[in-house]
Amino acid sequence: MITYTWQNDWSQDQITALYQSVGWQAYLQDVAKTQRALRASTVLAAVADDGRLVGLIRGVSDGETILYIQDLLVRPEFQGQHIGSTLIRHFLAKYQGVGQIMLLSEAEPKTVAFYRSLGFSPVDPQSYGTALVKDSRY
């Protein structure tokens, strides 16, 4: 059984195991930094019966006008069990009064379809504006 908890104080070992499982190496270059980032964010975690961290969603928000979803990840062996969509739905319910919810994602058709099924739309420069990013993680 999977339980969901609003917890952001995971150990470095738990964080490392989760991020390694999905191949997100940038977060593993400085796990202490990733741990501090999680602690400074709103995190909803998915936890297996054995206490193992199997997924999480992380966001940053002012609680009123903007929510930025930074991470959504689920261990591969737990994917396909609706954990990711449950994490998103709980997160969106918590921030239902926030006017603008944003995220950046891979452009993989499967990933885009997943987010579209949850009500997200690609940014259309003609109707909404242009999304810009300056990434200095690497």
Side-chain angles (χ1 to χ4, degrees), residues 22-34:
V22 296
W24 288 16
Q25 297 304 314
Y27 288 89
L28 299 173
Q29 292 176 11
D30 186 345
V31 179
K33 183 177 185 176
T34 299

Side-chain angles (χ1 to χ4, degrees), residues 86-103:
T86 299
L87 287 166
I88 288 270
R89 286 187 178 100
H90 283 306
F91 220 69
L92 296 179
K94 179 179 179 73
Y95 288 99
Q96 64 185 351
V98 171
Q100 195 174 53
I101 300 169
M102 301 178 61
L103 61 85

